[in-house]
Amino acid sequence: MSGRLTVVGVGPAGPEWITPEVAALLADATDLVGYGPYLERVAGAHHRVHASDNREELARAAHALDMAAEGRDVAVVSGGDPGVFAMAAAVFEALEGAQPGRWDAVAVEVLPGVSAMQAAAARLGAPLGNDFCAISLSDNLKPWSLIRRRVRLAAEADFAMAFYNPISRARPWQLGAALDIVREVQGPDTLVVLATAVGRGEREELRVSTLGEVDPAAANMSTLVIVGAASTRVLERRSGRRHLYTPRYVESAESQ
Amino acid sequence: MSGRLTVVGVGPAGPEWITPEVAALLADATDLVGYGPYLERVAGAHHRVHASDNREELARAAHALDMAAEGRDVAVVSGGDPGVFAMAAAVFEALEGAQPGRWDAVAVEVLPGVSAMQAAAARLGAPLGNDFCAISLSDNLKPWSLIRRRVRLAAEADFAMAFYNPISRARPWQLGAALDIVREVQGPDTLVVLATAVGRGEREELRVSTLGEVDPAAANMSTLVIVGAASTRVLERRSGRRHLYTPRYVESAESQ
């Protein structure tokens, strides 16, 4: 038997951010594997649904590969973009670590999606409109010393930054510590946004603050954090609407 | 009169990457503004189409805002994600630089899309599966000294990197120079991909190479460059298919 496994991203929230490519793949798939809340958003009557906890990515990937090896058409469902701090890397880790031959018959593909930082950025304006970086603040899989080093160098580079996995019950201090590192380099007026549950209706909250005033405790597991570059600014419209954006240009003096 | 201007991203290529949100907006829009080839992909019979050159972003934004101020429903069409090295920032620059009151009646929104780096990454596997950055190598709007500094610090941070605007007729040396900067820090086996015309059928080319061997002259204006982190690796399947991915984990020793 040979089947296929496709890792798909269903965006950060509603169906309006699911690409036609992903929608077509999901219509064909026999089995859906992933974190329960993501599966609930896309499961149809014809699917076998295999929900699991939001951790356990490797075990979930192995289960998906096993079903594909039995000839099923398996979709591994990620929120956002599966290639950005999501399931695609976990599937390849599982494949690389497998005993020889175990999943040779399984064809693996990845389909891109809209990631949380893009949805948050669009709501705000264009805070990632110049050079930027994306960093996961979870030290479950990499040492905090590396995260510290990356955040520090990113601040020195004056990147706008998107922080994924900023906080959880088991990791309560990492976001505050990361912001402290940025403060070693960038000024207190640097813009910081806690973008929570973007796209999820009334739960959506965009909290625009500064490095000097931001309260990390206002973030939760549904929060994507954007830290502006030095040039990131607020544009206030006559209507009262505020947009946040980073200009495409940088004056020569700012590069020193 | 008051109209609206919406900046939308139509992905890096075909309709399979256009979100339903953007498709619905385009169906309602009266006027499309943007680079000709992007407009050709989405223009319908009911649209007034205002194509322009791929430079001149500020003039294009002003034209779009003028039409919206006349009560039109204007879509500014970007390839990829409008918030990633595309038209969203240019629209806010135009707004901020306008004489007071000129476009006060225009409501501006941004809708996210799939950016070129995400489509390229998905085709390859998951090279952006851990921390990464995105840098435009165009020095039209920022000094090369800043680009040099950012590339250098990103290499020191061991980010995977996506280079946008790597090369053009007027900017022939920047990609080679950027790769030289990465070579000051990362080893010659570091993976480098020239991903050209991803999603455009037979024109698509994924050239997987290394820092030691890559030929910058093989890139063109349709190329997105991905430079791996130290841990980015190739996974070769029994079928002959090769996947490129960056594991989510990093061993403690690698953070030194």
Side-chain angles (χ1 to χ4, degrees), chain A residues 17 21 81 93 96 103 109 118 131-132 134 136 141-142 149-150 157 237-238 241 245 248, chain B residues 17 21 81 93 96 103-104 109 118 131-132 134 136 142 149-150 156-157 237 241 245 248 250:
Chain A
W17 287 328
E21 181 183 49
D81 183 315
E93 287 168 27
E96 189 169 13
W103 292 312
E109 297 292 341
Q118 299 172 282
D131 305 323
F132 68 94
S136 169
L141 293 166
K142 60 191 177 197
R149 178 172 162 77
R150 286 182 171 164
R237 306 294 312 283
R238 179 77 62 91
R241 175 74 189 272
Y245 84 102
R248 300 163 306 147
Chain B
W17 288 329
E21 181 183 49
D81 183 315
E93 287 168 26
E96 188 168 13
W103 291 311
D104 276 356
E109 296 292 342
Q118 299 172 283
D131 305 325
F132 68 94
S136 169
K142 60 191 176 195
R149 178 173 162 76
R150 285 181 171 165
E156 290 178 11
R237 306 294 311 282
R241 176 74 189 274
Y245 85 101
R248 300 163 305 148
V250 179

Side-chain angles (χ1 to χ4, degrees), chain B:
Chain B
M1 300 287 289
S2 76
R4 65 170 179 166
L5 184 156
T6 313
V7 194
V8 305
V10 295
E16 72 273 19
W17 288 329
I18 299 178
T19 66
E21 181 183 49
V22 167
L25 186 286
L26 290 171
D28 287 344
T30 59
D31 293 73
L32 305 186
V33 175
Y35 178 48
Y38 302 152
L39 300 186
E40 280 167 25
R41 286 164 42 195
V42 296
H46 68 291
H47 290 129
R48 295 201 314 192
V49 174
H50 311 271
S52 55
D53 191 82
N54 203 11
R55 289 155 295 184
E56 307 294 335
E57 287 94 348
L58 270 183
R60 182 192 296 160
H63 180 215
L65 286 159
D66 277 340
M67 289 192 291
E70 290 163 9
R72 312 287 299 177
D73 188 344
V74 182
V76 172
V77 177
S78 271
D81 183 315
V84 178
F85 307 118
M87 282 300 297
V91 167
F92 293 112
E93 287 168 26
L95 272 175
E96 188 168 13
Q99 60 263 47
R102 178 169 176 190
W103 291 311
D104 276 356
V106 179
V108 174
E109 296 292 342
V110 179
L111 306 184
V114 173
S115 191
M117 67 181 167
Q118 299 172 283
R123 285 285 205 268
L124 292 162
L128 307 179
N130 205 316
D131 305 325
F132 68 94
C133 66
I135 301 176
S136 169
L137 298 189
S138 170
D139 54 355
N140 290 338
L141 294 166
K142 60 191 176 195
W144 179 255
S145 59
L146 176 61
I147 299 171
R148 154 173 275 287
R149 178 173 162 76
R150 285 181 171 165
V151 172
R152 169 78 194 206
L153 290 165
E156 290 178 11
D158 192 28
F159 283 123
M161 303 183 211
F163 290 157
Y164 283 73
N165 307 313
I167 206 158
S168 75
R169 231 163 295 171
R171 294 182 295 98
W173 56 266
Q174 281 80 347
L175 175 57
L179 293 169
D180 281 343
I181 297 163
V182 180
R183 282 188 195 99
E184 296 169 5
V185 179
Q186 298 281 35
D189 294 337
T190 303
L191 289 162
V192 177
V193 183
L194 306 184
T196 300
V198 172
R200 298 187 211 156
E202 293 187 355
R203 289 189 53 214
E204 174 173 320
E205 184 183 43
L206 299 169
R207 201 182 272 245
V208 178
S209 183
T210 62
L211 207 46
E213 297 190 342
V214 60
D215 175 15
N220 63 44
M221 286 184 63
S222 302
T223 302
L224 184 285
V225 179
I226 293 181
V227 179
S231 64
T232 305
R233 63 194 73 194
V234 172
L235 173 64
E236 185 128 21
R237 306 294 311 282
R238 176 78 62 93
S239 64
R241 176 74 189 274
R242 295 193 307 169
H243 299 287
L244 220 81
Y245 85 101
T246 307
R248 300 163 305 148
Y249 60 84
V250 179
E251 306 298 340
S252 292
E254 288 189 56
S255 71
Q256 300 312 308

Side-chain angles (χ1 to χ4, degrees), chain A residues 226-246:
Chain A
I226 292 181
V227 179
S231 64
T232 305
R233 63 194 71 196
V234 172
L235 173 64
E236 185 128 22
R237 306 294 312 283
R238 179 77 62 91
S239 63
R241 175 74 189 272
R242 294 193 308 168
H243 299 288
L244 220 81
Y245 84 102
T246 307

Side-chain angles (χ1 to χ4, degrees), chain A residues 139-173:
Chain A
D139 53 356
N140 290 338
L141 293 166
K142 60 191 177 197
W144 179 254
S145 59
L146 176 62
I147 299 172
R148 154 174 274 286
R149 178 172 162 77
R150 286 182 171 164
V151 171
R152 169 77 194 209
L153 290 166
E156 290 178 11
D158 192 27
F159 283 123
M161 303 182 213
F163 291 156
Y164 283 74
N165 306 314
I167 207 159
S168 74
R169 230 162 295 170
R171 295 181 294 99
W173 57 265

